[in-house]
């Protein structure tokens, strides 16, 4: 049927449609179309030649809904007058709207730099709040997903409570509805931690989910905002999708947005807008249910209620504030004052919600102070990271994952054995030794949790971790801060089973030292130089690449002899995808390593990370301070890179 005929059909089908022009359709606006039980209606039309072509041939996504309506019933769509119709302003071409709301196509233009980094898109809040910035990315994402994950789909929406999340949630909900999503499950107040979103996606069999968070980056009007998208098994979107999103942000022309009112997210409940539903859910329930299946809660309760054990959890005014009290206090019986900084705040109380020795200063002071508790822990902005400390004792994240794997018997979820172990490349080799000892498949992936997802989905990995305070298992597809803390509490409880009241407990430090005696100690440290000038950082990387290009086995670096120097590349064993340029490595003949990477999570300048590792089998040296043990290698790392020369930095911002 020719375009003009289509228009003619429309005209003759409704008394209300008095004329069709290429401008706003004032009269057509009063003509809702109902299909079958009135599932679809439209209240206004703005026509454009491309839209009408698509209408006719049903070939364009932006007009396909309209096409479906018009050509259902053999083109004899029933039209009836509708009083509460809305006319769209010129420039915003209204398409068709499922019952209950109208979908507006808002014209937009590509915005530079919307490339996701190691984990989601992170920028200064101001940038995200600029016109269409977030909307463009969300629309680009919907344009990147297969139709079945958009039309009629269910998505989860959570976040860490940071500044701009409330507004962002409403934008995301409207664009989701505009693109045909059937249901959004959103955490109350827009809150849900990253691992909880992963758990909810899995529990509710959702098609995916959003996490509104820049994770460990600071929040508030002057700081960062971010968004992550996770896929149907709960894992961060793989690069194949994030690359596609980025591609679409560079050619985006329009945003499809439902004209629905803001949804009240502060109370649990269901809000229906025609075929679209927003359900405000308890962000803790599904996640806690899952954790109860993973751990022995009775055992944990016996530890946390014991007079001989004291526990402190620093939620850093971030998302785990919403989880810590219900889980540690209400469910597991820990004293109320075990949790501090336990209220999520939009600016994290002005702090940097990064659980490391520098930014979790308050916890560190307690754990290294007089009369320190037995176990202290902290989590980051979105609840996926963790730091675990004993009384005057720091468990490096690289050791933590190895020790959890070695003590898997303390966790009922692993009762039938571990399937395999994995760590990110810069993470120390402590886990490798456990994998070897236990005869388990082992994988070394690039930095970023997204690389673990395929391994877990394929049943090849049970426990994995990153040196950056990320530890987790295949109970979800994210690193999981609270899980890691419960894992450590489980190990301590397991090691102290049957102890009588007043008897001395096996401590966190005892557990770590025993592990080192058996496996040897992988001394590890990371130096971060935050917000360096990007050009200088890139020049330093080029300089290192040139050294690597001319290096050969046997080259001498002080007492160290080079085994290999390269730029880490990874081929995913499941889907064969290849990730290159994942970190510059200098590996020495004794297994010691120096690694350089530029961070992919910053929002300003460049953050240079240097990772230094050395294996020490000699038990007598295990009590050395890591900085002391690694001093010669650290000096070499600084001298090879000429870091000071390139960046002017004399000291790192953070040492782990
Ligand atoms: C950092 C960490 C990396 C982690 C990522 C996301 O990335 O090094 O291990 O997966 O943050 O964690 P980068 O590119 O800055 O080194 V989170 O808790 O910020 O989502
Ligand atoms: Co995080």
């Amino acid at each position: 049927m020719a375009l003009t005929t289509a228009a003619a059909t429309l005209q003759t089908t409704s008394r209300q449609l008095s004329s069709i022009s290429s401008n706003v359709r004032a009269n057509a606006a009063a003509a809702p179309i109902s299909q079958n039980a009135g599932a679809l209606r439209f209240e206004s039309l703005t026509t454009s030649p491309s839209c009408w072509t698509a209408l006719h041939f049903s070939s364009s996504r932006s007009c396909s809904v309209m096409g479906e309506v018009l050509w259902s019933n053999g083109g004899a769509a029933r039209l009836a007058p509708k009083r509460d119709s809305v006319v769209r302003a010129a420039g915003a071409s209204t398409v068709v709207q499922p019952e209950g709301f109208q979908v507006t196509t808002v014209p937009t233009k590509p915005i530079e730099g919307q490339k996701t980094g190691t984990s989601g898109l992170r920028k200064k809040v101001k940038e995200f709040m600029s016109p269409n910035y977030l909307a463009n990315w969300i629309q680009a994402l919907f344009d990147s997903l297969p139709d079945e994950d958009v039309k009629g789909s269910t998505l989860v929406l959570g976040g860490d409570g940071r500044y701009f999340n409330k507004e962002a949630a409403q934008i995301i909900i409207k664009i989701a509805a505009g693109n045909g999503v059937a249901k959004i499950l959103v955490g109350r107040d827009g809150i849900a931690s990253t691992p909880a979103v992963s758990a909810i996606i899995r529990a509710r069999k959702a098609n995916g989910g959003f996490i509104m968070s820049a994770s460990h980056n600071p929040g508030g009007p002057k700081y960062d905002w971010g968004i992550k998208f996770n896929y149907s098994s709960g894992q961060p979107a793989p690069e194949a999708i994030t690359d596609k999103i980025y591609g679409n942000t560079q050619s985006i022309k329009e945003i499809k947005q439902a004209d629905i009112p803001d949804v009240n997210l502060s109370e649990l409940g269901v809000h229906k807008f025609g075929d679209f539903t927003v359900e405000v859910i308890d962000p803790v329930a599904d996640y806690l249910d899952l954790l109860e299946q993973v751990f022995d809660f009775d055992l944990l309760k016996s530890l946390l209620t014991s007079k001989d054990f004291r526990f402190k959890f620093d939620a850093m005014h971030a998302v785990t504030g919403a989880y810590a009290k219900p889980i540690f206090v209400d469910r597991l019986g820990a004293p109320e004052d075990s949790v501090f900084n336990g209220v999520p705040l939009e600016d994290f109380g002005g702090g940097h919600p990064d659980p490391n020795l520098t930014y979790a200063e308050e916890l560190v002071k307690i754990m290294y102070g007089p009369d320190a508790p037995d176990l202290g822990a902290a989590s980051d902005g979105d609840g996926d990271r963790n730091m675990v400390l004993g009384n005057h004792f720091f468990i490096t994240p690289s050791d933590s994952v190895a020790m959890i794997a070695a003590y898997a018997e303390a966790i009922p979820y692993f009762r039938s054995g571990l399937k395999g172990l994995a760590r990110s490349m810069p993470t120390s080799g402590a886990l490798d030794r456990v994998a070897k000892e236990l005869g388990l498949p082992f994988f070394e992936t690039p930095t970023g949790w997204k690389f673990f997802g395929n391994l877990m989905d394929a049943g090849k990995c049970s426990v994995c971790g990153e040196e950056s305070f990320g530890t987790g298992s295949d109970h979800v597809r994210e690193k999981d801060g609270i899980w890691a803390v419960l894992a450590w509490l489980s190990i301590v409880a397991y090691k102290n089973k049957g102890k009588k009241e007043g008897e001395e407990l096996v401590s966190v430090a005892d557990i770590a030292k025993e592990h080192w005696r058996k496996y040897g100690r992988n001394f590890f440290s990371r130096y971060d130089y935050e917000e360096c000038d990007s050009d200088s950082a890139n020049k330093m990387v080029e300089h290192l690449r040139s050294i690597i290009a001319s290096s050969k086995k046997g080259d001498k670096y002080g007492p160290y002899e080079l085994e290999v120097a390269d730029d880490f590349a990874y081929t995913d064993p499941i889907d064969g995808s290849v990730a290159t340029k994942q970190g510059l490595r200098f590996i020495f003949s004794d297994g010691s390593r120096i690694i350089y990477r530029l961070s992919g999570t910053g929002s300003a300048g460049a953050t240079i990370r240097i990772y230094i590792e050395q294996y020490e089998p000699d038990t007598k040296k295990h009590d050395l301070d890591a900085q002391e043990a690694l001093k010669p290698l650290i000096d070499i790392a600084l001298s090879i890179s000429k870091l000071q020369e390139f960046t002017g930095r004399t000291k790192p911002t953070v040492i782990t």
Side-chain angles (χ1 to χ4, degrees), residues 146-451:
D147 244 23
E148 63 267 25
D149 286 322
V150 182
K151 301 266 182 282
S153 68
T154 297
L155 297 175
V156 180
L157 175 60
D160 61 6
R162 73 176 59 217
Y163 181 78
F164 185 54
N165 275 15
K166 290 202 172 103
E167 293 87 334
Q170 303 295 345
I171 294 171
I172 295 167
I173 288 170
K174 285 169 191 164
I175 298 173
N179 281 272
V181 169
K183 190 170 191 177
I184 299 270
L185 298 162
V186 53
R188 187 181 37 231
D189 289 324
I191 293 251
S193 74
T194 291
V197 167
S198 187
I200 297 165
I201 292 172
R202 296 168 68 77
R204 310 279 185 118
K205 301 199 167 18
N207 300 69
F210 295 98
I211 301 144
M212 301 176 289
S213 171
S215 195
H216 62 288
N217 300 21
K222 285 199 208 129
Y223 295 101
D224 293 6
W225 199 81
I227 180 122
K228 315 188 196 189
F229 180 73
N230 284 27
Y231 223 178
S232 53
S233 75
Q235 83 277 34
E239 289 196 327
I241 291 185
T242 53
D243 288 349
K244 214 168 164 188
I245 299 171
Y246 179 53
N248 285 334
T249 63
Q250 294 172 306
S251 59
I252 189 164
K253 290 196 180 70
E254 55 189 33
I255 300 156
K256 279 173 250 164
Q257 186 184 298
D259 290 349
I260 54 174
D262 281 1
V263 181
N264 175 10
L265 301 180
S266 62
E267 280 162 35
L268 302 185
V270 177
H271 304 261
K272 282 193 181 287
F273 304 93
D275 291 340
F276 176 65
T277 306
V278 177
E279 187 181 342
V280 182
I281 60 168
D282 173 358
V284 181
D286 286 1
Y287 178 64
L288 178 55
D289 281 354
L290 176 64
L291 293 176
E292 296 210 32
Q293 290 162 38
V294 170
F295 296 103
D296 180 344
F297 265 46
D298 292 336
L299 180 67
L300 288 167
K301 194 167 186 171
S302 69
L303 180 74
L304 286 169
T305 53
S306 156
K307 289 195 185 69
D308 298 320
F309 182 80
R310 281 182 307 134
F311 169 63
K312 280 278 176 197
F313 182 81
D314 183 355
M316 303 190 86
H317 285 304
V319 77
T320 51
Y323 293 82
K325 188 174 173 292
I327 298 175
F328 297 125
V329 178
D330 301 343
R331 181 66 185 83
L332 291 169
E336 195 102 12
D337 67 357
S338 306
V339 175
F340 64 105
N341 295 330
V343 178
L345 296 176
E346 286 198 332
D347 65 349
F348 308 113
H352 206 127
D354 197 352
N356 59 38
L357 295 168
T358 304
Y359 296 128
E361 196 192 354
E362 212 176 326
L363 176 72
V364 172
K365 269 196 188 139
I366 295 171
M367 297 308 295
Y368 283 87
D371 194 26
D374 301 284
L375 195 148
S379 188
D380 72 329
D382 59 333
D384 55 357
R385 296 185 179 205
N386 74 93
M387 176 167 70
V388 169
L389 300 163
N391 181 337
H392 290 77
F393 199 88
F394 169 57
I395 300 285
T396 69
S398 296
D399 274 350
S400 179
V401 63
M403 292 169 188
I404 292 173
Y407 277 106
E409 72 220 50
I411 299 170
Y413 181 77
F414 300 129
R415 206 166 278 142
S416 54
L418 299 172
K419 296 168 190 148
L421 302 174
R423 63 160 169 85
S424 67
M425 180 275 284
T427 306
S428 94
L431 186 67
D432 313 30
R433 295 176 190 276
V434 176
K436 200 166 171 211
E437 170 75 19
L438 302 179
L440 292 171
F442 173 79
F443 304 89
E444 183 182 36
T445 60
T447 293
W449 211 262
K450 57 185 176 251
F451 296 101

Side-chain angles (χ1 to χ4, degrees), residues 31-53:
I33 295 180
S34 59
Q35 179 200 24
N36 300 329
L40 295 164
R41 67 187 165 96
F42 68 87
E43 294 168 342
S44 71
L45 283 173
T46 300
T47 57
S48 69
S50 65
C51 191
W52 278 107
T53 308

Side-chain angles (χ1 to χ4, degrees), residues 354-361 364 368 387 389 394-397 467-469 523-530 607-612 625-631 634-635 638 643 649-656:
D354 197 352
N356 59 38
L357 295 168
T358 304
Y359 296 128
E361 196 192 354
V364 172
Y368 283 87
M387 176 167 70
L389 300 163
F394 169 57
I395 300 285
T396 69
E467 45 61 45
S468 54
F469 299 87
F523 281 105
F524 179 86
S525 186
R526 183 175 105 180
Y527 278 35
D528 294 333
Y529 299 82
E530 293 175 355
T607 292
I608 299 169
R609 304 201 195 285
I610 306 182
Y611 311 77
I612 304 114
D625 177 69
Q627 296 309 312
E628 204 181 315
L630 294 171
K631 176 96 179 36
I634 292 169
D635 289 345
L638 293 173
L643 182 130
R649 296 293 178 91
T650 51
K651 273 204 317 255
T653 328
V654 176
I655 296 180
T656 296

Side-chain angles (χ1 to χ4, degrees), residues 383-603:
D384 55 357
R385 296 185 179 205
N386 74 93
M387 176 167 70
V388 169
L389 300 163
N391 181 337
H392 290 77
F393 199 88
F394 169 57
I395 300 285
T396 69
S398 296
D399 274 350
S400 179
V401 63
M403 292 169 188
I404 292 173
Y407 277 106
E409 72 220 50
I411 299 170
Y413 181 77
F414 300 129
R415 206 166 278 142
S416 54
L418 299 172
K419 296 168 190 148
L421 302 174
R423 63 160 169 85
S424 67
M425 180 275 284
T427 306
S428 94
L431 186 67
D432 313 30
R433 295 176 190 276
V434 176
K436 200 166 171 211
E437 170 75 19
L438 302 179
L440 292 171
F442 173 79
F443 304 89
E444 183 182 36
T445 60
T447 293
W449 211 262
K450 57 185 176 251
F451 296 101
F452 295 128
N454 276 352
L455 298 173
M456 292 184 174
D457 282 351
K460 289 182 183 298
C461 173
S462 296
V463 174
C464 50
E466 294 191 279
E467 45 61 45
S468 54
F469 299 87
T471 332
S473 94
D474 62 348
H475 68 294
V476 289
R477 295 292 180 275
E478 281 283 2
K479 52 190 187 275
D480 188 341
I482 299 237
W483 174 90
V485 179
L486 292 175
W488 266 96
L489 288 168
S490 297
I491 296 171
V492 174
Y494 182 79
K495 292 291 281 182
N496 290 292
K497 248 185 189 172
K499 282 268 163 75
K500 300 215 175 54
E501 207 181 300
E503 239 184 291
E504 199 178 327
L505 296 184
V506 176
S507 70
V508 167
D510 295 337
I511 292 165
K513 287 178 184 173
E514 187 189 317
H515 184 96
W516 293 338
R517 276 196 296 279
K518 177 166 179 184
Y519 293 97
R521 177 172 179 187
N522 288 71
F523 281 105
F524 179 86
S525 186
R526 183 175 105 180
Y527 278 35
D528 294 333
Y529 299 82
E530 293 175 355
E531 294 192 26
C532 293
D533 169 64
S534 292
D535 281 349
S536 315
N538 289 333
K539 278 187 191 134
M540 190 195 92
V541 167
E542 282 323 308
H543 159 74
L544 285 165
R545 286 217 164 95
S546 72
I547 296 182
I548 287 174
S550 61
S551 67
K552 54 184 189 316
K553 187 175 155 73
D555 284 353
K556 286 273 196 286
Y557 290 86
Y560 298 91
E561 195 170 289
L562 190 73
E563 185 63 34
V564 65
D566 67 2
D567 199 341
F568 183 63
Y570 176 70
T571 303
D572 186 295
I574 314 301
D575 65 16
S577 59
V578 177
T580 57
K581 298 191 174 175
Q582 298 295 316
L584 304 169
R585 309 191 290 182
F586 290 77
I587 305 175
F588 302 101
S589 55
D590 66 349
S592 300
R593 300 190 302 166
I594 298 172
I595 294 147
Y596 305 87
R597 264 187 80 245
L598 293 186
S599 156
T601 56
S603 64

